[in-house]
Amino acid sequence: MPLGPVCVAWVCWVVYQTAAYVPELDALLVSWFVVLGAMAILSLFCRKQIKNLVKECRKVVEARYLVVNLPRLSVLELLYYAFFFLIFLLVFYQILSLPFLENDSQEYVLVARHILSNGSLAAYPVTDTVLSGGLYAPSSHPPGYVMLLVWSFLTSGGDSLLHVRLASAFHFVGLLIIAFGLRHFRLREVAVAAFVMMTTPLVISMVVGYHVDGMRLMLFLAAVIWTALAIESCDLKVVTVAGAVAGFAAFSHSIGLLAIGFGGISILAFWRGRLVLRLLPAAVFGAVAVAVGGYQFVENTVVLGAPLMDAPPVFVDEAIGYTADLWARRDIDLWADKFVYGVARAWFELSIFGLGYWAFLYLLVRNWLAGQINKDLIVILLWIFSFFALSVMTVLLGSELIIKNPRYALTTAPLVAIFVAGCLRSCRGRLQ
Amino acid sequence: MIRGLCVLALLGLAANWVLLQSAVRIVNYSNIAAVFSGDERAVIHQPRKEGGAVYALLEELHRPGDQTLVFGQSDFGFYGTGSWIDNFDEALLDLYRVQSAEEMYDRLKDKGVRFVFLPGYTFSTFYNTRVIDVLGDPRFAVPLESHRGFRLFELRDQPANYSCRRVDLMGKAPSVYEENAPTALLTRALELAVPLPIPRRGRTLALDAPKMFLQQAEQIEPLVDRPRWFSTYKQVYQRAGVVFGGSMGLPPIEPELFIRANESVLQITLALESEAYLEVLLLEHMRGGKQSTTTLADGLLGKRGQPLTLQHNLDSNVESLQLMVLAPKNPDAVLTVSNAELCFLEIEPAQLDTQSVGQKSQPNLSLLERQLMDTTMSHRFSWSPNDRRCTTSGHTECNDLVLLQDNTLGHARFDPYPDIPVLYNAGMIVSDETLSYLAYDASLAVARIQAWIRNQSDSRVASVADAIFGLFLSNPIDPQEPTIAYDLRFDSFGSADAIIQAYVSWRDDEGEVRVVYAGDVSGASFDGDPVRRLQTLLPAVVTSPNLVLVVSGSHVAVTSASLVPAYQ
């Protein structure tokens, strides 16, 4: 269910991509049919998981656990739930009431409107300023979120941004509850993970301000969860779905490309049997993921020479000196800066990353020593470590690509939250 | 129990950032009615929206076919009016290579550009090209509006001549920006203890830090010297920011930095050398004690190799200004300032009509007259329990307030009146010796908080706080009560680096102390008239009101004071 919007966006992308060649295609109608088809295929593939998810979601909706146990909750637990619901309400109110003030959220809307008015993806990335009335957006990121906006404008008439807000709210809820997909996660564990996520200030400010981040964080988290499920089930059908989810993560945002790589590494590392036998599921995972979400990266490689390209000619003009200005502005000149406020910023910028990463470190050491980290958590741990190892490597190679923006480190925040919740469950018998 | 409390504290700590940040966002920006009505642009009319006034003005001035060169595309695309050219558009590459402001102006006009929009920061496409020269030159461009860092310029239809009042800052006493935060001191101590570069963010190390640091700095860079007089030799600052015209937070000590009637545009010329990221900030001191800070340019400005010229429109409420150059990020910054000049332009009569929307009406009044008009509840919040005070009926009894030592390193001492008591930093003159200070402290604190809150006209937090405040505190003057106007007069002279705040207190029927805030004035003497005048309303039944003057800042003398009914 949480993957619904990205399926819509993906279908919308297929239709608009096709519309560049077949302009008379009725985008709306075709999209509906393809979405329905995709959902049917998904439900065939993973009936068990969906059944489980629906069951747990019903629990949330009914709030059965909380209502039944309310009289038995301690003051501490009551306060915890009070905090939880207060933040939850605040987030929703902000999503609905705050204007679009952040650069990225505004640019996505402008680009989506341009694609909508143009009727196809032929004008993406937006570099023809005569056609766009001045809009210049040469970033060649995967268009997942943009296409979701196009869909929302298609269905709302093009002016209202209410659908955009609702999409953000939807993904936020999805982000909080998708951990139900993990085998050992019940309401309490999910609630703990949700609390850690909700007390990471950057998660909230991104969800309410940038809008795109709810989607990309949720899909990245979904990718790791499905990868863990695939490894646990040793079933190629689940690997296929996991590959599709990783593809959706890559389709939603450039950083989602990591989901494909990390997922492949996870399968190679943890799939049962000899290494040679692990190559098949890894290849299936990778092939499906690239098929679903890799088009933009392939196109970028063919057209621009690299899978990711975010450097219009003005950026690389030496006389203008844009890059030097940017690094000086981002304040990561020194090596110590690069590591403390770049690679490890999640631990040192408390006002935007909260306490979750410190809890993660503490619980990691404690549970590791106690031997209480199960396979689900090991997969998640591998993804977190892979991300930070990649950060260190890129810094050592002289690139600030991953550390330049705190939003990139934020990609690991939901994973950290799940890990914290999982570790607490392992250590507290009454939670089991 | 203890464990539970610890867990609870952790939960609260974990949630606090999100709750606080959410509260600020909601109070400042949220507008659910606008969202559901579909009017997403409504936010430009909210005072907290950066650039709201700029967008509103552009909406009014924009004509079909006008192009805007934008340096913040997304926000402009969302809230602005008309078509635009983005500063990163590769079609501008040729334009960026032109070598003179004249040619850049011509090329921009050829492209149909009428407006230039700047957000609260300036990328290198602005300061490493001739765009900055065009916008900084009054012949080519007029700064129309600025709002919370966002600025709008209009390119003139034809280049025009201009004249202005020049102020050379190189001969003035600059003061070094000082950071007093204890964490900064801690970091400095760490720096000395640990021989490795300590990572730091967004702060400026000042020269007037502890002596240990000075020694350390001198070892690193032998060129370092305390800034004293620019005109004598080229000054080099290490890890420093510099404020031209006095201490930061207080009005300038140089009378030339006070705005004269009809002066509405400021041109700044700065020659900077530095490898570091720099910020050029304009500190505007408003009538009534408010301050506004605008980032005029930021980036690797010292590597440009040519002087910067910048223009800024002055709001009619601006009374005086200071200029500040900071090197806030690079810990090894060396900043050299070899030229700093201001140029105050009067608004041109021909522009009064066309730009009346952008330039708020500015009556042709002297500063003294403008001060006299200021009878609002204006306030500068600088009172603290450490304020020195004395009770007196004349200045001679306040000699104990004279502090001779100058603790602002690098700040040239300005003391032309050695025979007259000078109140330094802070003092309070109370005409009633019998009142207890405690009662004053409490009443003054309340009056000052209320005044401060009411002075934040664009803050929704303040408007909410004022309403909440009003629930618990009664107005010192009952609205139904008959009142009499009183004139407050006091003679003062000295530098402008001070604020004199006037309060009037009395005891009501029940013996309770009541205080009203009468206003504040600068300590400087303008137009040769040493008399300060304010007016306030008091209940008619009050028979023996007391005048309370709180002096904040330095180098000012108050020689006499009176409080009399206006009809006398």
Side-chain angles (χ1 to χ4, degrees):
Chain A
M1 182 184 72
L3 302 182
V6 75
C7 292
V8 169
W10 192 79
V11 169
C12 202
W13 167 73
V14 170
V15 170
Y16 268 70
Q17 198 68 267
T18 315
Y21 309 102
V22 194
E24 66 274 13
L25 207 63
D26 189 332
L28 199 61
L29 192 64
V30 174
S31 300
W32 270 119
F33 281 116
V34 181
V35 168
L36 288 176
M39 288 177 75
I41 293 165
L42 270 177
S43 58
L44 278 177
F45 262 121
C46 37
R47 277 169 300 179
K48 205 167 122 191
Q49 283 78 7
I50 288 174
K51 199 173 160 188
N52 186 35
L53 195 63
V54 169
K55 199 172 91 187
E56 296 299 337
C57 289
R58 197 188 301 150
K59 276 190 196 170
V60 178
V61 174
E62 291 173 356
R64 195 174 66 193
Y65 178 88
L66 195 58
V67 174
V68 170
N69 292 287
L70 203 56
R72 286 190 287 166
L73 291 176
S74 67
V75 175
L76 194 64
E77 285 171 312
L78 280 172
L79 280 169
Y80 164 76
Y81 283 112
F83 271 130
F84 188 97
F85 285 111
L86 178 61
I87 297 173
F88 192 77
L89 288 175
L90 278 176
V91 171
F92 262 82
Y93 183 72
Q94 288 176 83
I95 289 174
L96 288 178
S97 70
L98 289 181
F100 280 55
L101 297 173
E102 303 294 349
N103 180 77
D104 288 31
S105 65
Q106 293 168 340
E107 188 165 313
Y108 279 121
V109 169
L110 294 175
V111 171
R113 282 181 174 156
H114 175 61
I115 292 172
L116 185 72
S117 67
N118 205 44
S120 87
L121 273 164
Y124 182 84
V126 188
T127 51
D128 185 349
T129 52
V130 176
L131 193 68
S132 65
L135 178 66
Y136 181 75
S139 296
S140 52
H141 293 302
Y145 180 67
V146 171
M147 295 318 294
L148 183 62
L149 298 193
V150 171
W151 172 268
S152 80
F153 293 146
L154 267 174
T155 51
S156 69
D159 289 329
S160 171
L161 296 175
L162 189 60
H163 290 202
V164 183
R165 297 170 195 280
L166 292 178
S168 188
F170 182 92
H171 286 120
F172 178 63
V173 174
L175 182 67
L176 300 185
I177 64 168
I178 201 164
F180 276 124
L182 283 171
R183 190 164 52 90
H184 300 296
F185 271 56
R186 294 293 176 265
L187 184 61
R188 278 215 182 199
E189 292 81 51
V190 172
V192 170
F195 185 79
V196 176
M197 280 186 244
M198 289 202 302
T199 54
T200 304
L202 195 57
V203 170
I204 303 306
S205 56
M206 291 299 105
V207 165
V208 304
Y210 278 66
H211 301 101
V212 61
D213 291 81
M215 181 181 190
R216 75 171 181 92
L217 291 177
M218 194 274 284
L219 289 169
F220 197 81
L221 181 59
V224 68
I225 288 173
W226 277 98
T227 305
L229 290 177
I231 290 169
E232 189 182 287
S233 66
C234 268
D235 184 344
L236 274 183
K237 279 190 296 184
V238 186
V239 170
T240 309
V241 177
V245 176
F248 281 142
F251 176 62
S252 71
H253 195 273
S254 290
I255 206 162
L257 186 62
L258 295 180
I260 301 178
F262 293 171
I265 292 170
S266 305
I267 291 171
L268 285 176
F270 299 119
W271 197 269
R272 269 174 254 163
R274 287 184 300 161
L275 185 63
V276 180
L277 296 177
R278 299 174 190 177
L279 289 174
L280 176 65
V284 170
F285 177 89
V288 174
V290 170
V292 171
Y295 178 84
Q296 192 67 45
F297 300 106
V298 174
E299 186 184 79
N300 290 350
T301 309
V302 172
V303 177
L304 307 170
L308 297 172
M309 188 60 77
D310 197 5
V314 172
F315 284 15
V316 294
D317 187 282
E318 283 189 13
I320 294 171
Y322 173 82
T323 310
D325 175 280
L326 189 69
W327 296 140
R329 201 173 283 277
R330 302 252 180 168
D331 196 16
I332 41 179
D333 291 334
L334 297 178
W335 279 102
D337 281 350
K338 289 183 203 295
F339 281 96
V340 175
Y341 293 112
V343 173
R345 69 195 315 159
W347 284 273
F348 292 97
E349 295 183 346
L350 290 179
S351 63
I352 59 173
F353 284 98
L355 299 177
Y357 283 81
W358 285 104
F360 162 74
L361 269 191
Y362 169 71
L363 291 168
L364 171 64
V365 172
R366 198 179 75 166
N367 286 31
W368 191 276
L369 294 177
Q372 288 179 319
I373 298 181
N374 64 32
K375 205 168 209 177
D376 291 352
L377 296 186
I378 287 285
V379 173
I380 289 170
L381 195 59
L382 177 73
W383 283 49
I384 296 171
F385 272 120
S386 299
F387 181 88
F388 287 108
L390 194 64
S391 302
V392 172
M393 268 172 49
T394 53
V395 169
L396 291 177
L397 290 172
S399 166
E400 285 90 359
L401 185 68
I402 293 188
I403 61 168
K404 67 178 182 179
N405 193 332
R407 290 172 65 205
Y408 299 158
L410 186 72
T411 308
T412 58
L415 278 59
V416 162
I418 299 288
F419 187 86
V420 167
C423 283
L424 283 175
R425 175 184 55 78
S426 303
C427 287
R428 297 185 63 188
R430 72 192 185 89
L431 282 177
Q432 305 230 4
Chain B
M1 174 68 182
I2 291 175
R3 192 177 168 207
L5 284 175
C6 288
V7 173
L8 185 61
L10 264 177
L11 286 179
L13 183 63
N16 91 88
W17 288 292
V18 165
L19 293 176
L20 288 175
Q21 291 171 13
S22 297
V24 168
R25 279 193 293 262
I26 287 172
V27 169
N28 283 336
Y29 296 113
S30 80
N31 189 344
I32 203 156
V35 170
F36 280 92
S37 69
D39 184 11
E40 295 279 352
R41 284 184 83 244
V43 69
I44 68 170
H45 302 296
Q46 285 179 215
R48 302 295 295 188
K49 165 68 184 116
E50 294 84 355
V54 167
Y55 293 126
L57 176 64
L58 181 64
E59 196 172 20
E60 203 160 329
L61 296 180
H62 185 268
R63 298 183 300 236
D66 287 342
Q67 290 267 27
T68 305
L69 174 61
V70 301
F71 286 81
Q73 173 180 257
S74 298
D75 207 69
F76 186 91
F78 218 80
Y79 297 111
T81 306
S83 60
W84 69 87
I85 303 173
D86 180 37
N87 74 113
F88 293 135
D89 191 338
E90 57 208 62
L92 293 181
L93 266 178
D94 285 345
L95 192 80
Y96 287 153
R97 296 203 172 103
V98 302
Q99 292 301 313
S100 70
E102 287 79 4
E103 193 183 350
M104 175 63 84
Y105 170 78
D106 289 340
R107 297 280 294 273
L108 288 172
K109 295 300 288 183
D110 288 346
K111 282 185 174 291
V113 173
R114 183 182 168 204
F115 300 105
V116 180
F117 170 82
L118 291 174
Y121 47 85
T122 55
F123 280 129
S124 56
T125 43
F126 171 71
Y127 66 78
N128 272 347
T129 66
R130 295 293 167 188
V131 173
I132 187 173
D133 298 325
V134 169
L135 298 192
D137 192 332
R139 289 178 301 161
F140 301 130
V142 181
L144 289 182
E145 181 66 280
S146 67
H147 183 251
R148 301 183 77 82
F150 284 47
R151 287 167 288 161
L152 185 69
F153 292 77
E154 181 181 15
L155 298 186
R156 291 180 189 272
D157 293 335
Q158 297 290 330
N161 293 323
Y162 69 99
S163 61
C164 65
R165 174 169 70 88
R166 292 185 187 279
V167 179
D168 184 6
L169 293 175
M170 298 300 285
K172 314 295 179 195
S175 102
V176 173
Y177 176 67
E178 184 181 7
E179 190 178 350
N180 292 317
T183 50
L185 292 175
L186 179 68
T187 318
R188 284 175 193 141
L190 273 174
E191 261 179 339
L192 295 175
V194 184
L196 292 172
I198 302 293
R200 56 181 68 77
R201 293 180 63 80
R203 60 188 181 77
T204 301
L205 294 179
L207 279 180
D208 49 352
K211 270 188 177 175
M212 282 193 303
F213 176 73
L214 277 176
Q215 287 164 358
Q216 178 84 350
E218 282 159 8
Q219 284 165 11
I220 296 169
E221 174 55 68
L223 284 173
V224 167
D225 196 0
R226 281 170 49 195
R228 293 189 69 79
W229 299 101
F230 272 71
S231 53
T232 53
Y233 55 90
K234 206 173 180 184
Q235 286 295 328
V236 179
Y237 300 95
Q238 179 156 9
R239 301 181 179 187
V242 60
V243 184
F244 293 97
S247 307
M248 199 179 92
L250 293 168
I253 58 174
E254 303 291 345
E256 288 170 285
L257 295 177
F258 279 74
I259 316 298
R260 294 176 187 168
N262 261 359
E263 289 179 341
S264 61
V265 174
L266 172 71
Q267 188 197 29
I268 298 159
T269 306
L270 274 171
L272 308 171
E273 282 177 48
S274 179
E275 292 291 310
Y277 168 86
L278 299 178
E279 288 175 349
V280 176
L281 307 173
L282 187 69
L283 312 177
E284 293 172 281
H285 297 271
M286 307 288 192
R287 217 148 39 97
K290 283 178 73 175
Q291 281 180 51
S292 164
T293 304
T294 305
T295 304
L296 297 179
D298 66 325
L300 297 172
L301 305 174
K303 294 173 80 173
R304 186 169 186 261
Q306 289 168 327
L308 301 171
T309 52
L310 303 156
Q311 279 197 97
H312 183 71
N313 65 308
L314 299 167
D315 189 275
S316 60
N317 283 319
V318 178
E319 197 167 58
S320 61
L321 51 85
Q322 291 166 295
L323 188 66
M324 192 169 180
V325 183
L326 287 184
K329 293 186 175 177
N330 191 331
D332 299 318
V334 176
L335 166 64
T336 306
V337 185
S338 53
N339 184 28
E341 185 180 271
L342 301 183
C343 191
F344 292 91
L345 285 84
E346 290 192 2
I347 194 163
E348 295 165 24
Q351 292 180 338
L352 280 171
D353 292 335
T354 57
Q355 291 173 21
S356 58
V357 187
Q359 306 285 349
K360 297 183 183 70
S361 63
Q362 182 158 349
N364 186 11
L365 297 172
S366 71
L367 269 174
L368 188 62
E369 287 171 313
R370 281 157 63 182
Q371 285 172 3
L372 289 174
M373 287 172 64
D374 183 15
T375 53
T376 56
M377 294 286 279
S378 55
H379 175 68
R380 173 181 297 283
F381 190 75
S382 58
W383 180 83
S384 79
N386 295 325
D387 283 356
R388 293 178 179 82
R389 68 197 71 185
C390 66
T391 63
T392 180
S393 56
H395 67 274
T396 52
E397 292 176 38
C398 282
N399 282 340
D400 60 323
L401 288 177
V402 179
L403 299 181
L404 294 178
Q405 79 272 22
D406 189 342
N407 60 4
T408 55
L409 282 177
H411 189 145
R413 188 149 163 72
F414 179 72
D415 189 3
Y417 310 106
D419 300 329
I420 296 171
V422 174
L423 303 184
Y424 187 86
N425 278 340
M428 185 162 83
I429 303 169
V430 184
S431 57
D432 180 358
E433 297 181 25
T434 61
L435 283 173
S436 88
Y437 289 136
L438 190 62
Y440 265 118
D441 286 348
S443 305
L444 272 180
V446 169
R448 296 174 79 153
I449 292 169
Q450 273 187 314
W452 180 80
I453 288 172
R454 286 173 187 169
N455 200 29
Q456 311 302 307
S457 57
D458 61 349
S459 166
R460 292 170 74 187
V461 178
S463 62
V464 173
D466 192 27
I468 294 171
F469 223 60
L471 293 176
F472 302 103
L473 296 168
S474 59
N475 193 326
I477 301 174
D478 184 350
Q480 308 298 328
E481 206 172 359
T483 55
I484 294 176
Y486 276 74
D487 281 335
L488 288 72
R489 296 183 186 188
F490 40 97
D491 291 358
S492 75
F493 60 91
S495 79
D497 193 6
I499 284 287
I500 303 169
Q501 299 168 328
Y503 299 83
V504 178
S505 72
W506 69 95
R507 288 183 188 278
D508 63 13
D509 298 341
E510 297 166 359
E512 294 294 319
V513 176
R514 293 190 176 276
V515 179
V516 292
Y517 182 71
D520 60 39
V521 291
S522 166
S525 172
F526 300 106
D527 303 337
D529 185 356
V531 181
R532 304 283 178 274
R533 297 181 181 86
L534 290 169
Q535 200 170 65
T536 190
L537 291 174
L538 296 179
V541 295
V542 174
T543 52
S544 56
N546 303 302
L547 177 62
V548 181
L549 300 180
V550 178
V551 183
S552 308
S554 59
H555 311 117
V556 65
V558 179
T559 55
S560 68
S562 66
L563 175 68
V564 292
Y567 56 81
Q568 287 184 0

